[in-house]
Amino acid sequence: MGPTGLRTFLKSKTSGAQTRQVMDNLRGVLEAGVQQLLAAQPAALPVLQRFTGVYIQDSTQIALPAALGTVWRGNGGKDSGAALKLQVQWEWLSGQLVRLDLQNGRAADGAAPAQAAPVPAGALRLADLGYFNLEVLAATAAQQAFFLTRWKVG
């Protein structure tokens, strides 16, 4: 069933509270399924082998039907009003998905739950400017881990 079919089903078969319950259940299924299915081949780049792990953090956003706006708030404007942001943290050397967090589409990357999660000593943390936070970088260094980011101007 595609997004249009799901929207039609939810509008015709469920109340607002039931819609939220259905979406919460779908969220649980998605999280569990992705955790089980996603694993990449470990990377064998010699320059990265000096680290105990290479943790890559990033996100992507998926537009959803407007009927899901009460569950997954989007950015508004021209959007449908509903969007899902997938936050991932991947450990490159092992190929393992470490974290998968689902957030409202309008959530800032810097507010991702993985932002507060420490990486092991000797590991490298890679994240784009959306995650730039001097306190997080200082905590990473205090844990004897490393980070690579572009300097945020301003």
Side-chain angles (χ1 to χ4, degrees):
M1 175 182 308
T4 303
L6 179 61
R7 180 177 58 232
T8 302
F9 173 78
L10 290 174
K11 281 184 175 180
S12 66
K13 303 290 185 191
T14 62
S15 68
Q18 290 170 322
T19 298
R20 177 167 282 287
Q21 183 62 43
V22 168
M23 294 315 300
D24 287 344
N25 289 340
L26 288 174
R27 175 185 183 162
V29 170
L30 176 64
E31 287 176 340
V34 170
Q35 287 286 354
Q36 293 297 316
L37 294 175
L38 289 182
Q41 291 296 325
L45 297 173
V47 70
L48 298 178
Q49 298 301 317
R50 67 186 74 197
F51 300 105
T52 58
V54 178
Y55 292 80
I56 301 170
Q57 190 169 330
D58 206 0
S59 70
T60 191
Q61 190 169 347
I62 302 167
L64 299 173
L68 302 178
T70 59
V71 179
W72 299 109
R73 292 186 60 198
N75 294 320
K78 296 180 198 174
D79 294 341
S80 73
L84 173 66
K85 184 174 274 193
L86 294 155
Q87 293 279 353
V88 297
Q89 189 177 63
W90 206 280
E91 201 290 297
W92 183 260
L93 298 180
S94 69
Q96 293 298 305
L97 180 66
V98 176
R99 288 189 70 108
L100 171 69
D101 297 306
L102 305 179
Q103 295 180 291
N104 287 322
R106 64 175 26 181
D109 286 342
Q115 190 68 326
V119 295
L124 174 64
R125 179 182 187 271
L126 299 171
D128 65 31
L129 284 179
Y131 301 93
F132 188 91
N133 181 306
L134 290 175
E135 291 176 7
V136 170
L137 298 179
T140 301
Q143 295 159 359
Q144 302 300 306
F146 305 91
F147 57 86
L148 182 61
T149 188
R150 214 174 53 171
W151 182 256
K152 186 173 184 175
V153 178

